[in-house]
Amino acid sequence: AQSVSQHNHHVILSEAASLELGCNYSYGGTVNLFWYVQYPGQHLQLLLKYFSGDPLVKGIKGFEAEFIKSKFSFNLRKPSVQWSDTAEYFCAVTDYGGSQGNLIFGKGTKLSVKP
Amino acid sequence: SAVISQKPSRDICQRGTSLTIQCQVDSQVTMMFWYRQQPGQSLTLIATANQGSEATYESGFVIDKFPISRPNLTFSTLTVSNMSPEDSSIYLCSVSRRGSRTEAFFGQGTRLTVV
């Protein structure tokens, strides 16, 4: 069965620090990969997605993620975080070619950015 | 994109009672899903809501406990039946369009506390 692992439960950074959140998945086939963000009191929003092509994908608000197939990883990065990036971040995967669209989520990483 | 309205946003319920959660989408979508997010846990798929037929449940979830309706392409309900404190969770409605390169959109969730 597919699974997604997020290595960090809670990350605390100061503003302007660089961010990298780890995500690994287990699945033998081709996958679609996503990062979702949930700001305090708001619903889940898509941050970025990878379907195919360039393994370095750029999302909203300066976030990017790199798909490394050999490592089954899809780490999220941002060179300089802001206080407004305080949120919970979820990595998710679904079958490529599957028409269901149902997602397997990691447990989430809470990011706290100190002003 | 899709805008999802979920009601109620939160509720406190007595043990043994049932709660029905509504999910309304602003456009016709192919796929509708219900997820559960228990405290400190990842989002877990409960079932896929199928229009005009019985929902497809994931392992560990049954229709008697979580009956689901989907009378049309824009509306679905999830009922949490005979509740116990273990059912205290956030329940989320999600939608996507059928296809291999689809992303999911989420409602704001229903925070349920069972006392």
Side-chain angles (χ1 to χ4, degrees), chain B residues 35-110:
Chain B
Y35 287 83
R36 181 175 74 181
Q37 186 179 18
Q38 293 178 299
Q41 300 296 315
S42 176
L43 285 81
T44 303
L45 182 65
I46 297 171
T48 302
N50 301 309
Q51 192 225 341
S53 64
E54 196 171 282
T56 305
Y57 289 84
E58 298 299 307
S59 175
F61 298 96
V62 295
I63 188 171
D64 289 346
K65 177 67 176 178
F66 298 102
I68 288 170
S69 79
R70 189 177 174 192
N72 56 53
L73 288 174
T74 63
F75 185 78
S76 178
T77 66
L78 168 75
T79 299
V80 186
S81 303
N82 187 25
M83 289 183 283
S84 66
E86 292 70 37
D87 295 319
S88 298
S89 286
I90 298 173
Y91 292 85
L92 295 114
C93 173
S94 170
V95 305
S96 68
R97 293 181 171 81
R98 187 180 292 275
S100 60
R101 297 189 174 209
T102 56
E103 62 189 76
F105 302 92
F106 288 85
Q108 77 276 23
T110 296

Side-chain angles (χ1 to χ4, degrees), chain A residues 9 32 34 36 38 42-44 46 49 51-52 88 90 94-103 105-107, chain B residues 31 33 35 37 40-43 45 48 58 92 96-109:
Chain A
H9 178 64
N32 297 331
F34 306 85
Y36 282 85
Q38 189 168 29
Q42 297 189 27
H43 60 274
L44 276 168
L46 183 68
K49 60 193 175 189
F51 293 140
S52 65
E88 190 153 16
F90 294 91
T94 188
D95 285 340
Y96 180 85
S99 60
Q100 288 300 309
N102 49 313
L103 296 162
F105 282 88
K107 289 192 174 183
Chain B
M31 314 298 294
F33 307 93
Y35 287 83
Q37 186 179 18
Q41 300 296 315
S42 176
L43 285 81
L45 182 65
T48 302
E58 298 299 307
L92 295 114
S96 68
R97 293 181 171 81
R98 187 180 292 275
S100 60
R101 297 189 174 209
T102 56
E103 62 189 76
F105 302 92
F106 288 85
Q108 77 276 23

Side-chain angles (χ1 to χ4, degrees), chain B residues 8-19:
Chain B
S9 59
R10 59 178 62 226
D11 207 342
I12 300 173
C13 299
Q14 294 292 321
R15 184 193 303 252
T17 63
S18 298
L19 175 72

